[in-house]
Structures are given as structure tokens and as C-alpha cells.
Amino acid sequence: MIRHLSCILFALASLLFEHRANAQLLQCGSFTQAELPPPTARQDRDARARFHEINSAIKMQPHRVLFFGDSLTEYFDRGVWDQHMSPRGVLNAGVGGDRTDHLRWRLEHGHLDGPPPQGVVVLIGTNDLGHEWPPDLVAEGIRATLLKLRQRVPGAAILLLGLWPREDIPRIAERHEIAAVNRMIEACADGLAVRYADLGPLLLAPDGRLSAQISRDRLHLNAQGYMRIVPALDRALDGMLAARAE
């Protein structure tokens, strides 16, 4: 009986210690009481090939910044990337179709095993909404991703990007789910270890819509779309790296 009680008390103490340790790494608390899906490996061939490609790039040479994300990162217009991201030493670590549980698996299986970066950019979560995850669960998946990064690369500054607008799934737009997620995850930024930038408004036309001129499928961007956001993204990256160097 006494031994059983001691085990319970030890478990509670361990949970309390973990909670306090996590609170020191991120200033935002949990966004939901629902159980978060565990880190999950992608099984499709293209995603696995991309995973190994990124793993090799990370381990073969140092990169100043790792840019983690989904297709919005992987298919970042090459010309715009070469002009703005490459000179800053940024590695494109996006995998099309990834959700937050997929990215957390990648972080646990090699994508943080190279030389520690000075900075990390995170743009993830829109595919969670596409798979009908509620906004609070999506925000919790992003929070878990940030926590993993703070634990594994504590010396790296993090630039958290708010989800970009999409209009390919009416439910997401009608329920303002992207805005709901962004309101929650912004609370994770402390302006030091984690900075937040919402570039989404830069993509909207005067009528508040995502124009076909920059996004034919109302989700992915063409070169013109990426050019709209890179000036602000450049400033955010430069500010993050300059602050880290101080």
C-alpha cells in the first residue's frame, strides 16, 4: 500500500517537474484537453524520399537557418528562394502534405541531428485543418512542435509564422479557423526565444480574398505570391538572427 502510494506521488512529482520545465521553455500553456496525435511517420514514397533528402542536407553541412513546413515551404518559388533565402543560409526543410504530427516525427528522426542552427522558421498546421482537426488541436500540435525545438536546439531563435490564408476548403474560410489558430499560437511568442510573424494579410487582395492572380488553387502560391511576403520575411529573419548574435 505504502509502496503503491509512493509510486503515485513520484509520478505526480515527475509530471509537475515536466510541466514547470516546459513552462520555462514556452510561455503558452496547452490549448486543449484533447489528446494530441503522436508523432507519425509518412509512408508515401515522395514524402519518404523528401525526408531522406533533408536528413542528408542537414547532416552534410551546417545551415544558418532551418525552415520547417509543408508544401508551402517545399514548393517555395525557386527563383525567389535563391534571391532571398539562400543568401541567408536557409535550408528548405518543407515536406508537402505534412501535418504537425509528421513534422514532430521528423524532428525526432534526424532533422535536428546536424550542426545546431542559429535560427528555425516554422510554418505548419494548414494540413491539420484540411484533415478536419479543430483549431485548438491544431494550435496544440504547433505548440508541441515549438516545445520539441526548444528542447532539442535551445540556442536557436525560432520564427513562428502564422498560418497563411486558404480558400480551397469553404469550411476553413467560413469558420475563420486560420484566424482562430493564429490567435492561439501568437501567445507562444515571447519576442526573444520565439518570435511570431503573421504574413497572411500581405497575400490578400483589397476585397480580403486570396486572388487567383497569386494562387490558382486558392492555397499554394506562385512567384508573385511569394514576392509579396519576402520583404517582411527578410526583415523578420534578419531581426531574429541579429538579436541572437547580440
Side-chain angles (χ1 to χ4, degrees):
M1 178 69 177
I2 295 177
R3 182 178 180 181
H4 180 65
L5 180 60
S6 297
C7 291
I8 293 176
L9 292 175
F10 177 79
L12 291 174
S14 298
L15 288 173
L16 180 61
F17 177 81
E18 181 180 359
H19 174 76
R20 289 177 175 174
N22 290 344
Q24 293 177 350
L25 294 175
L26 285 179
Q27 71 170 16
C28 55
S30 297
F31 297 115
T32 180
Q33 297 300 315
E35 184 176 358
L36 190 65
T40 306
R42 296 275 298 279
Q43 300 300 325
D44 52 298
R45 183 177 62 182
D46 289 346
R48 290 181 64 85
R50 178 66 176 155
F51 165 75
H52 290 298
E53 178 185 351
I54 296 170
N55 248 1
S56 297
I58 286 173
K59 295 174 182 178
M60 286 182 62
Q61 64 183 29
H63 294 87
R64 198 178 183 200
V65 178
L66 304 179
F67 195 141
F68 290 111
D70 46 44
S71 59
L72 295 173
T73 301
E74 180 180 359
Y75 303 127
F76 206 108
D77 180 80
R78 184 60 182 270
V80 178
W81 184 277
D82 288 346
Q83 182 180 357
H84 292 267
M85 297 294 104
S86 294
R88 291 174 167 81
V90 184
L91 174 69
N92 187 323
V95 178
D98 259 15
R99 300 189 304 259
T100 54
D101 54 327
H102 300 137
L103 176 53
R104 286 187 290 124
W105 186 89
R106 290 199 278 133
L107 297 181
E108 295 176 354
H109 291 81
H111 282 14
L112 295 177
D113 289 350
Q118 296 179 32
V120 176
V121 181
V122 178
L123 175 61
I124 197 71
T126 195
N127 289 320
D128 303 41
L129 289 177
H131 282 76
E132 300 189 2
W133 291 22
D136 58 348
L137 193 62
V138 178
E140 186 65 15
I142 297 171
R143 177 181 174 274
T145 302
L146 294 175
L147 187 57
K148 178 63 66 176
L149 289 167
R150 293 287 289 125
Q151 292 167 340
R152 289 290 309 276
V153 284
I158 299 174
L159 175 60
L160 172 63
L161 299 182
L163 302 189
W164 295 350
R166 61 183 297 178
E167 297 176 4
D168 58 319
I169 300 178
R171 167 186 56 81
I172 294 176
E174 292 167 1
R175 297 182 183 178
H176 306 289
E177 293 180 352
I178 288 175
V181 172
N182 288 346
R183 281 195 299 270
M184 286 184 273
I185 64 174
E186 184 177 9
C188 295
D190 56 19
L192 298 172
V194 181
R195 297 182 174 213
Y196 174 80
D198 184 6
L199 307 180
L202 300 173
L203 297 170
L204 299 178
D207 63 358
R209 303 293 301 277
L210 190 60
S211 170
Q213 184 178 3
I214 65 170
S215 178
R216 290 188 178 276
D217 64 359
R218 300 303 200 277
L219 171 61
H220 300 94
L221 305 178
N222 58 22
Q224 185 177 348
Y226 283 107
M227 282 301 299
R228 287 194 183 185
I229 63 170
V230 289
L233 180 56
D234 288 349
R235 289 193 297 271
L237 274 171
D238 293 343
M240 175 185 72
L241 293 171
R244 184 197 177 281
E246 293 177 355

